[in-house]
Amino acid sequence: MSRPSIVIVGAGFAGYRTARTLAGLARGRADITVLNPTDYFLYLPLLPQVAAGILEPRRVTVSLSGTLPHVRLALGEADRIDLDARTVHYTDPEGGAGSLGYDRLVLAAGSVNKLLPIPGVAEHAHGFRGLPEALYLRDHVTRQVELAAAAEDPADCRARCTFVVVGAGYTGTEVAAQGKLFTDALVRRHPLRQAVRPRWMLLDIADRVLPELDGRMSRTADRVLRERGVDVRMGTSVKEATHDGVLLTDGEFVDTRTLVWCVGVRPDPLADSLGLPMERGRLLVEPTLRVPGRPEVFACGDAAAVPDLENPGEYTPPTAQHAWRQGRSAGRNVAASLNGGELHPYRHRDKGFVVDLGGVKAAANPLGVPLAGPVAGAVTRGYHLAAMPGNRVRVAADWLLDAVLPRQAVQLGLVRSWSVPLDTASPELARVPGRADGQAGTPGAPAAGSAAGTTSGAGSGPGAATERDTTAEPARNQPGGEPAKNQPGGEPAKNQPGGEPAKNQPGGEPARNQPAPDTLFEEHPAPGPVRRTDAPDHREGDR
C-alpha cells in the first residue's frame, strides 16, 4: 500500500510547525511535502534588528531542509488548488509549472501587506514583512544619512533625516525604536553640517502605542520612544503621500524621503480563491482546524479563521503565537485523521508578550508579570532564543558583537526600491527584471501566474489582534510595472506578540497631481514585468 501524501502550503510559523510535528509523528510512514517560495523559515520578530544592522540576514532564516528531516521541499508559489482533483498547481522559481497531489492538504499561506485607499501610499511607501524589505530599509536609511551629511541645503538635510513610520503595533513600534538608535549611531559617524538630528515619527490612528496590549506595556513603550526622541503621534495618520513628503490627517505636511508602512496585514488571497466559506478574508475552519465539508483539508495561521474557544463567538487573532501553536495542533490532527484517531480542538491561553525596544530596553509581561528596562530586555532576548528553531548560537554571537563593536554602516545595494513595492503578493521575494510581482528567477524568464504564501502569523506577533480589511483598492501604478494580479501572497511571520492592528486608517482626498511613480525611497526605473495571460485571476475582488 502506498504511503499517504501530505502537502503543506507555506512554511511560516504555522506551516513550519505543522511540518515539524508531522515529521516526528509520521516517522517515514507518510510523504510530507512543503511548498514554499524560499528554502528557509523566516523568524520575522527579529527583522527590525536586521534593518538596524544588529543581526546579519541569515541569522533570522532557518533552513527548511536542514531542520525538517523526512520532509521534501518543493520550491515554488501556488497558482491554484484543485480541491476536487486534490492537486496543488504551482510555479517554480525559474518559471516552470508543477503540481502536487495530496491525500491531506494543510493551507498555511498566511497574509500579505494591508493596503488602504490613501493617495500615494502604494507608490511611495514600503512595507516591512520580508527580508528584502529589511535589507532595503537598512541601505536606504544609511544612504539618506550619508546624503544628508553632504547636503548644502538645510531643508534637504532635514527631509533626508526624517523617517515616518505608520502603524504603532509591534512592527512599527520596533522599527521606530531600533531605527532611532541606528540613525543616531550613523550621525555620530557622519556629523550633519547643519547640526540636524535624525527625526523618527511614529503615527497611528489609535489612541496609544501598542493598542492591542495592556496599558502598562503600552505606557512603557511610549515612554521609551519619547525619551529616545521619537515623535509619537497618536490619533494621526497619513492623508496623502507624495515624492516630497507626507500630508498628515491633522493638516501638517512633513518633508521626508522615507515612509514605512506597518499598519497591518490581510489574509493571503489564495484562501479566497478556493471558493469556500470565508470570514473577513480568512478561511473558516472547525476548532480542529479542518475545513467544513472538506475532511482532507486543514488550515491554520493567518489564512484561517479559527474559533476561539476561550472567547466564544470570536476567532483567534492572526498572530505568530497562535500560528505556532495551531501548527502543532494541525500536525497532530492530520496524523490522527490518517490513523483513524480522535481530532482535538485548538485551545490556547496567552502566556505573555515581549516587545524589543532596542538597546537594553524592552517591555514584557511573562505570565502576566509586567517588566521594563534591562530586565525586560533580557527576558525578551531569552524568549527569542528559546523560540527560534535554529541559529541560536549565531544570533547570540551577533548580539555580543553588537554590544562591544560598532555596527558596520555600509550600503550593499542588493535590493532596489522598485524591487520591494508595497503592493506585492510575495513580500518574501524581491521583484527581479522580467518577472512579475516578486517572482524569483532569471531575468527574462516567463512570469509566474500567482504566488503562494510563505509564512504564518506573518507580520504579527504572538498574541496581538490584527484587523483585516480586504476591501481596500491598491494603487496599480507600482514602480516596475503593474504587479501580476493573480498572485496570492506570502505570509511572513511575526513572532513578537502581535502584529500591527489595522485601525481604520483614514484615506483622504486623492491627489490630483501625483508625480510619476518614483518612490520616496529611491528613484530607479523598474523593468516592466512579463505577465502571463493564461492563468486565471484568482485575486479579482480581493485586491
Side-chain angles (χ1 to χ4, degrees):
M1 180 181 294
S2 62
R3 296 185 299 181
S5 176
I6 304 169
V7 174
I8 303 167
V9 179
F13 276 84
Y16 182 89
R17 189 72 182 279
T18 300
R20 196 165 77 169
T21 301
L22 277 170
L25 295 173
R27 299 183 182 277
R29 295 189 297 270
D31 292 326
I32 306 170
T33 302
V34 171
L35 175 63
N36 200 57
T38 65
D39 63 354
Y40 59 81
F41 159 74
L42 176 65
Y43 191 77
L44 197 140
L46 293 181
L47 208 54
Q49 296 192 26
V50 174
I54 299 172
L55 296 177
E56 288 303 309
R58 285 184 296 177
R59 304 297 186 254
V60 298
T61 60
V62 178
S63 168
L64 296 179
S65 57
T67 57
L68 295 177
H70 312 299
V71 174
R72 174 195 169 206
L73 171 63
L75 276 177
E77 300 184 271
D79 296 327
R80 62 187 178 90
I81 298 175
D82 189 332
L83 295 174
D84 295 327
R86 297 193 178 190
T87 304
V88 178
H89 298 273
Y90 69 94
T91 303
D92 69 27
E94 295 186 348
S99 63
L100 297 168
Y102 62 83
D103 296 297
R104 294 291 184 274
L105 172 68
V106 180
L107 182 64
S111 54
V112 297
N113 285 317
K114 175 176 176 145
L115 299 172
L116 299 177
I118 299 177
V121 165
E123 295 88 350
H124 301 293
H126 286 276
F128 196 83
R129 302 180 45 73
L131 195 56
E133 292 169 322
L135 292 175
Y136 172 74
L137 184 60
R138 183 169 70 179
D139 272 5
H140 169 76
V141 169
T142 304
R143 178 169 56 256
Q144 295 308 307
V145 172
E146 291 173 348
L147 290 174
E152 299 289 345
D153 181 8
D156 182 53
C157 179
R158 283 192 296 271
R160 293 190 181 279
C161 281
T162 299
F163 307 91
V164 179
V165 180
V166 185
Y170 282 91
T171 297
T173 298
E174 291 180 351
V175 167
Q178 297 280 6
K180 186 62 168 66
L181 292 179
F182 181 46
T183 52
D184 285 348
L186 289 176
V187 167
R188 285 195 293 270
R189 191 170 302 176
H190 300 281
L192 305 180
R193 294 184 182 181
Q194 287 79 22
V196 174
R197 301 298 301 172
R199 179 191 183 192
W200 282 78
M201 299 182 68
L202 180 62
L203 314 177
D204 201 302
I205 202 67
D207 59 356
R208 60 187 176 93
V209 173
L210 300 172
E212 64 275 18
L213 297 187
D214 67 60
R216 277 187 289 196
M217 290 189 70
S218 176
R219 288 191 294 272
T220 296
D222 186 273
R223 174 175 50 79
V224 170
L225 290 171
R226 293 180 188 274
E227 288 176 352
R228 196 167 288 168
V230 176
D231 185 357
V232 180
R233 304 266 190 106
M234 295 295 97
T236 307
S237 189
V238 173
K239 185 176 182 180
E240 179 184 338
T242 70
H243 175 71
D244 297 318
V246 293
L247 176 64
L248 306 184
T249 53
D250 61 7
E252 179 183 354
F253 187 86
V254 178
D255 293 318
T256 181
R257 302 294 180 267
T258 308
L259 179 59
V260 186
W261 191 253
C262 301
V263 299
V265 296
R266 60 193 176 99
D268 190 319
L270 180 63
D272 191 47
S273 71
L274 299 178
L276 296 173
M278 308 291 289
E279 170 63 28
R280 300 188 68 182
R282 303 163 73 191
L283 190 62
L284 275 173
V285 298
E286 300 170 351
T288 59
L289 308 180
R290 177 178 267 174
V291 175
R294 291 286 179 176
E296 75 282 3
V297 181
F298 294 75
C300 52
D302 284 8
V306 182
D308 189 344
L309 300 183
E310 302 297 327
N311 299 286
E314 299 182 10
Y315 298 94
T316 59
T319 67
Q321 192 177 79
H322 281 291
W324 188 249
R325 289 161 176 79
Q326 287 171 11
R328 180 176 57 184
S329 293
R332 291 175 174 175
N333 285 341
V334 168
S337 71
L338 291 171
N339 298 328
E342 180 183 0
L343 276 61
H344 296 282
Y346 169 74
R347 290 182 179 273
H348 170 67
R349 291 184 179 178
D350 294 328
K351 297 180 180 178
F353 309 96
V354 294
V355 183
D356 190 344
L357 299 175
V360 297
K361 300 295 181 67
N365 62 348
L367 302 177
V369 179
L371 300 174
V375 175
V379 169
T380 299
R381 292 199 168 184
Y383 168 79
H384 287 315
L385 287 180
M388 289 192 71
N391 294 349
R392 295 187 182 96
V393 174
R394 290 184 172 91
V395 168
D398 274 7
W399 283 341
L400 177 62
L401 291 175
D402 181 69
V404 298
L405 297 175
R407 298 179 197 176
Q408 293 179 295
V410 294
Q411 301 177 53
L412 298 179
L414 299 178
V415 182
R416 314 301 283 176
S417 175
W418 56 264
S419 65
V420 283
L422 181 65
D423 183 13
T424 176
S426 301
E428 72 280 356
L429 296 175
R431 178 181 291 176
V432 298
R435 300 305 302 275
D437 201 19
Q439 294 284 324
T442 351
S450 71
T454 4
T455 55
S456 304
S460 3
T466 304
E467 276 189 33
R468 306 295 193 156
D469 180 3
T470 59
T471 61
E473 288 296 325
R476 300 186 181 276
N477 51 342
Q478 283 292 329
E482 240 181 282
K485 298 180 182 178
N486 52 341
Q487 295 199 10
E491 154 240 347
K494 185 164 180 109
N495 129 332
Q496 285 286 329
E500 298 66 57
K503 298 278 184 189
N504 300 327
Q505 298 285 344
E509 291 301 316
R512 299 183 181 276
N513 296 306
Q514 283 291 336
D518 8 1
T519 67
L520 278 176
F521 290 88
E522 186 177 11
E523 299 179 30
H524 289 291
V530 178
R531 298 189 50 203
R532 280 177 54 178
T533 57
D534 58 340
D537 189 346
H538 298 302
R539 295 202 293 173
E540 186 176 344
D542 184 84
R543 294 288 224 169

